Amino acid sequence: MAFITAHWGLDGIIVLTTLMIAVYLYMTRKLNYWKKRGVTEVVSPTLFLGNFTDCVLFKKSPGHLIKDFYDRAKGLPYAGFFILNKPALLIRDRELVKNILVKDFSNFENRYGSPDTKDRLGYANLFFINNPAWKILRTKLSPIFTSGKLKKMFELMLVCAQNLDTYLESLKLEGKGKELETKDLAAKFATDMIGVTAYGLNVNSLNNPDAEFRRHGKKIFEYSYIRGFEMLSIFFFPSLVRWTRMRVFGKDSSVFLRKAFWDTLLQRIESGTKRHDLIDILIELKKNHVDQDLNGIKFDGDDLVAQAAIFFTGGYETSSSTVSFTLYELAMYPEVQNRLRKEIHNALKENNNKVTYDMIMSLPYLDMVVSEILRKYPPLPFLDRVAGDTYKVPDSDLVLEKDTPIYVSMLGMHYDPEYFPDPDKFDPERFNEENKHNIPSCAYFPFGEGPRICIGTRLGLLQSKLGLVTILNKYEVTPSKKTLIPMVLDPRGTTTTALGGGVYLNLRRLNIST
């Protein structure tokens, strides 16, 4: 005899129907959440996936999805949407953005996106870790990025720039030049720079395409469908990440980063060598806080490796994207390229043909060009926060519940014609001395804003500018047969990435003396 009726088949139908109704009620129980609070939903959610159907199917990147919400919510201070069945809020008004990121930071100090906390290599770093451990880390690591430290690092960076110059010379780019994948070129350069400045290692990925640092850096940001879903989940579906035990760096890359870090750290301890870099600071943290648990973080094991790992991956992707997108836009706008090259040549002439830290930092047009690139192609096109406690939104009746995800569309604000007229146009003049002072606060923030702004901003800009000066001093970039015109971004990418990952351009050696 069956459990419910006299027939097993009928029992099965009843149980299955009950389960389906239960799942339906569970997934739809919050879909009226924003309507009940008088918050506009610019796009109606669908069952199970909420407003993320296009992202899950890789039809649209999360950065462009949130930008789409931003554009649809024109005239509104905020709008509601759903991450699966989780109510989330898009903040559109600049003053509210400032409140979330700066003024009321103490209630929005943590990100909503998060790796599994047991994935210490992925979680226990300055990018993802929650407060109060975040504040401890920030304080301990800030000394790496002072102007004095950057100047000392610059001498090491110059060696990488010279290696880049030698590598380009070896390609014999005279005459009509050759087509190159410039994202790969920039990534090799960035890998070598980070290797020497953070780890004290001569990675030499420019001359060795199979260098392990380069191979694993590429693997971490290779947006296959599986990898794309992993990164999407880490930023938007953290509960799924904890359940499936997804890893930020992947299994093989995690093993490599652990080995590379510990080999370098132990060798440095044994030799007693001081390089005033990241490794030195981590050694000191390990010595001074042995066996201590500081608000959920230990300066040992994977918690220590995590700092070196995020330094490598963050600097690698940001710089390589900035350099390659800059070269792309300069190929599209030869008059801008020529003006920038003239500035570089004049600066070198005045400095006895020597590249220095002060020279790189004193090139105004280069700064304008890079600033405009970061407007059009911010490395991470959105910011996420989570309410630490209930929060009354200023000048409204809306009260946010604790744990409500908050998103800011960096891409939406950077392309808002209210702040940047004709936003699709590449126009460095937006950032000349007069115009940049007219850009409202919290309308442009490619590296974030407030206390949680990217700690490595100045280092990233410095190595990007050095790479551009090295290339543009002697070489001209023009479109090639494989160049994407217009640029198309990869819908699988959580970060801003060209479709297929590559930026193809033609590089030609200029017949000029410098």
Side-chain angles (χ1 to χ4, degrees):
M1 186 171 181
F3 288 112
I4 304 173
T5 68
H7 304 283
W8 285 105
L10 184 57
D11 276 14
I13 293 172
I14 292 172
V15 170
L16 181 61
T17 302
T18 302
L19 285 174
M20 291 176 64
I21 292 172
V23 170
Y24 174 82
L25 292 175
Y26 178 80
M27 293 302 294
T28 59
R29 73 194 192 283
K30 289 188 176 181
L31 292 188
N32 288 322
Y33 183 90
W34 291 122
K35 290 179 181 178
K36 289 179 180 179
R37 287 161 175 76
V39 176
T40 300
E41 297 170 18
V42 291
V43 181
S44 297
T46 58
L47 185 62
F48 299 118
L49 296 180
N51 294 118
F52 270 71
T53 302
D54 284 349
C55 281
V56 172
L57 297 178
F58 296 116
K59 292 181 178 180
K60 188 178 291 186
S61 70
H64 277 88
L65 179 74
I66 296 174
K67 179 183 182 297
D68 184 47
F69 298 159
Y70 179 94
D71 293 340
R72 289 170 179 259
K74 184 176 181 180
L76 298 174
Y78 43 74
F81 66 99
F82 291 86
I83 304 172
L84 305 185
N85 70 331
K86 178 79 171 178
L89 192 71
L90 169 73
I91 301 295
R92 199 180 189 283
D93 179 79
R94 281 193 311 103
E95 289 303 316
L96 289 183
V97 170
K98 189 184 297 184
N99 284 336
I100 298 295
L101 300 180
V102 184
K103 184 179 177 182
D104 298 322
F105 172 77
S106 60
N107 197 47
F108 300 95
E109 55 198 9
N110 297 326
R111 299 183 185 278
Y112 174 68
S114 174
D116 181 359
T117 55
K118 294 180 181 179
D119 173 19
R120 301 305 294 180
L121 203 62
Y123 170 75
N125 57 66
L126 199 56
F127 186 84
F128 279 116
I129 200 165
N130 287 343
N131 223 13
W134 167 81
K135 188 173 182 180
I136 294 171
L137 266 181
R138 181 89 181 195
T139 302
K140 299 293 186 183
L141 297 179
S142 290
I144 305 172
F145 302 99
T146 63
S147 296
K149 286 290 177 64
L150 290 179
K151 287 183 179 180
K152 289 180 180 178
M153 286 185 189
F154 190 75
E155 296 304 314
L156 300 172
M157 295 165 73
L158 275 178
V159 176
C160 296
Q162 291 162 3
N163 290 341
L164 174 61
D165 185 55
T166 301
Y167 173 75
L168 291 173
E169 291 283 0
S170 72
L171 297 179
K172 306 296 182 185
L173 301 176
E174 293 83 1
K176 293 183 179 180
K178 293 181 181 177
E179 182 181 68
L180 295 180
E181 205 281 83
T182 57
K183 174 68 181 292
D184 183 61
L185 176 69
K188 290 176 180 177
F189 174 65
T191 301
D192 289 355
M193 294 270 268
I194 296 166
V196 72
T197 56
Y199 299 89
L201 297 175
N202 181 18
V203 176
N204 195 29
S205 61
L206 279 166
N207 295 308
N208 178 13
D210 296 321
E212 284 193 288
F213 267 98
R214 169 69 186 119
R215 183 160 55 85
H216 285 285
K218 190 174 183 179
K219 194 171 185 178
I220 290 166
F221 289 99
E222 188 174 44
Y223 285 115
S224 63
Y225 288 105
I226 293 176
R227 186 62 183 155
F229 186 73
E230 286 179 341
M231 295 305 291
L232 177 68
S233 299
I234 287 167
F235 278 95
F236 294 94
F237 317 141
S239 297
L240 179 62
V241 173
R242 288 189 288 271
W243 180 61
T244 58
R245 299 292 178 88
M246 295 177 188
R247 293 292 181 262
V248 171
F249 298 108
K251 183 178 178 180
D252 291 344
S253 296
S254 295
V255 170
F256 165 73
L257 288 168
R258 286 190 191 98
K259 184 178 185 305
F261 171 78
W262 283 112
D263 286 351
T264 303
L265 183 138
L266 294 174
Q267 187 277 329
R268 191 78 66 83
I269 291 174
E270 290 174 6
S271 67
T273 303
K274 293 282 186 181
R275 294 176 61 95
H276 307 288
D277 57 7
L278 177 66
I279 296 296
D280 281 352
I281 285 184
L282 295 181
I283 288 172
E284 288 302 312
L285 291 176
K286 179 175 169 59
K287 287 180 179 177
N288 295 336
H289 302 285
V290 62
D291 297 328
Q292 292 183 27
D293 187 322
L294 303 176
N295 288 297
I297 188 169
K298 294 182 179 180
F299 290 110
D300 201 0
D302 271 3
D303 284 17
L304 201 62
V305 180
Q307 315 320 318
I310 203 68
F311 191 101
F312 166 62
T313 52
Y316 160 93
E317 178 64 14
T318 300
S319 294
S320 58
S321 293
T322 301
V323 170
S324 57
F325 282 129
T326 302
L327 294 175
Y328 172 84
E329 291 291 353
L330 293 177
M332 299 298 107
Y333 292 84
E335 68 281 4
V336 176
Q337 181 180 167
N338 292 334
R339 179 178 169 183
L340 177 54
R341 184 177 294 105
K342 184 177 180 180
E343 178 183 70
I344 293 169
H345 286 171
N346 288 340
L348 284 168
K349 187 176 181 180
E350 293 174 5
N351 210 42
N352 297 318
N353 210 35
K354 185 178 180 182
V355 178
T356 65
Y357 173 89
D358 291 331
M359 189 211 89
I360 293 290
M361 300 305 290
S362 65
L363 297 175
Y365 197 62
L366 175 60
D367 190 69
M368 291 161 58
V369 167
V370 172
S371 295
E372 174 68 346
I373 289 297
L374 291 170
R375 181 192 69 81
K376 290 196 70 178
Y377 307 100
L380 187 65
F382 58 85
L383 296 177
D384 64 312
R385 297 290 187 267
V386 63
D389 207 340
T390 55
Y391 178 76
K392 170 73 165 54
V393 177
D395 302 318
S396 79
D397 296 326
L398 178 63
V399 176
L400 297 180
E401 292 185 312
K402 181 181 178 180
D403 297 328
T404 300
I406 308 295
Y407 284 84
V408 177
S409 177
M410 193 184 301
L411 203 60
M413 301 190 83
H414 286 192
Y415 277 78
D416 192 328
E418 179 181 348
Y419 310 127
F420 302 100
D422 196 8
D424 291 316
K425 181 182 179 182
F426 174 65
D427 182 10
E429 290 300 326
R430 301 180 200 273
F431 294 92
N432 64 32
E433 278 302 316
E434 180 182 355
N435 291 336
K436 70 180 180 182
H437 292 298
N438 294 325
I439 299 174
S441 62
C442 287
Y444 174 77
F445 41 96
F447 293 101
E449 186 59 271
R452 202 144 187 168
I453 192 172
C454 176
I455 194 174
T457 296
R458 289 194 296 174
L459 178 60
L461 288 173
L462 180 60
Q463 63 183 28
S464 296
K465 289 178 178 180
L466 179 58
L468 290 167
V469 166
T470 303
I471 295 170
L472 295 171
N473 177 33
K474 296 180 180 179
Y475 298 89
E476 175 188 64
V477 286
T478 54
S480 68
K481 291 182 179 179
K482 291 186 180 180
T483 302
L484 294 172
I485 304 176
M487 173 56 66
V488 181
L489 299 180
D490 198 326
R492 296 169 297 182
T494 304
T495 57
T496 303
T497 306
L499 185 64
V503 180
Y504 289 89
L505 296 169
N506 193 74
L507 261 71
R508 182 178 71 88
R509 178 75 150 87
L510 296 169
N511 186 24
I512 55 176
S513 59
T514 59

